[in-house]
Amino acid sequence: MSPGFEDSGVGETGLAQLLGEMRPELSRFMLTRQCDPAEVDDLLQDLYVKLTSIGTGPIAYPRAYLYQMANNLLHDHRRGRRRQQARDDHWARDRAGSDLEVAATPSPEASAIARDELARVNRALASMPERTALILKLYRLEGMSQKAIAQSLDLSLSAVEKHLQRAYRKLHLLREELDGVSQFSHKEADDVRFS
């Protein structure tokens, strides 16, 4: 039995064994995709249960298969959470009425903050090496697959992945910086309001 996975009464398959070995790297994989750290273990347990309950034939690339399953599970989890939030919001609006309505136009302060954040994101993108920014644009905005990008730019797939990792790292740091500034701004605004 792999450490950290409960016994489901089903014999462990080769994929389930590999999942046990890959647990630390799959945890990091989910965390880099903004998964709540408190939910990672539950999602990996769900992945284990799914692996031991489905019948699969031989898989040519089992590591890639597990990464794809983890990614799909994370997307399914997020969609479920959004649906739940929409149901809860709908229920709250039915109970409370229009008191929960959000203003149709943002406040001047919110607009200024959004413009500042957009300018900072644009500066971060402009500071990236040209190829890294291009690969990020092709992948995130144009929707090209990593494999197609690698072929069109005559790069290896791992080189494309490394460029994307660099770009995501830079954007993640910017997001942390913006979140810190945003939380400070809101606290500052609260202090002014309640003084």
Side-chain angles (χ1 to χ4, degrees):
M1 194 87 240
S2 297
F5 292 108
E6 297 170 11
D7 186 5
S8 63
V10 178
E12 197 170 70
T13 64
L15 281 175
Q17 282 181 317
L18 182 59
L19 175 61
E21 295 167 12
M22 291 178 61
R23 181 184 172 90
E25 61 190 278
L26 286 171
S27 292
R28 286 189 302 275
F29 173 79
M30 290 180 152
L31 289 171
T32 59
R33 279 153 183 76
Q34 306 303 314
C35 181
D36 182 353
E39 296 176 336
V40 170
D41 286 335
D42 291 339
L43 289 172
L44 289 174
Q45 180 66 30
D46 290 348
L47 182 58
Y48 176 79
V49 169
K50 191 177 258 190
L51 280 174
T52 56
S53 63
I54 60 173
T56 60
I59 296 175
Y61 303 101
R63 292 178 63 81
Y65 182 79
L66 289 177
Y67 272 108
Q68 188 61 52
M69 281 190 76
N71 194 47
N72 291 345
L73 189 64
L74 189 55
H75 286 300
D76 291 345
H77 178 70
R78 286 184 179 145
R79 276 192 296 272
R81 188 183 313 137
R82 280 194 298 269
R83 281 193 300 269
Q84 180 182 2
Q85 286 172 343
R87 279 192 308 269
D88 291 348
D89 186 51
H90 181 70
W91 181 86
R93 288 184 192 285
D94 283 349
R95 298 291 180 261
S98 61
D99 292 344
L100 294 178
E101 292 299 319
V102 176
T105 57
S107 69
E109 180 185 298
S111 295
I113 290 171
R115 279 192 303 273
D116 178 59
E117 288 179 356
L118 179 60
R120 292 173 92 176
V121 168
N122 284 331
R123 282 193 301 270
L125 292 173
S127 73
M128 289 180 191
E130 187 176 326
R131 184 168 284 201
T132 301
L134 173 64
I135 290 171
L136 180 66
K137 178 184 174 224
L138 292 174
Y139 184 66
R140 296 298 295 189
L141 300 178
E142 305 294 327
M144 283 180 71
S145 71
Q146 292 180 19
K147 185 176 182 180
I149 294 169
Q151 290 172 344
S152 70
L153 297 178
D154 197 29
L155 295 171
S156 68
L157 185 57
S158 67
V160 170
E161 290 169 350
K162 287 177 185 171
H163 279 284
L164 286 172
Q165 287 171 356
R166 280 188 214 114
Y168 287 142
R169 233 184 334 266
K170 186 164 199 118
L171 292 175
H172 180 71
L173 290 172
L174 176 62
R175 181 179 181 154
E176 286 178 346
E177 181 183 318
L178 290 175
D179 286 347
V181 168
S182 172
Q183 289 172 0
F184 180 72
S185 297
H186 291 298
K187 182 182 181 334
E188 226 174 36
D190 288 343
D191 290 344
V192 170
R193 255 193 310 246
F194 296 115
S195 333

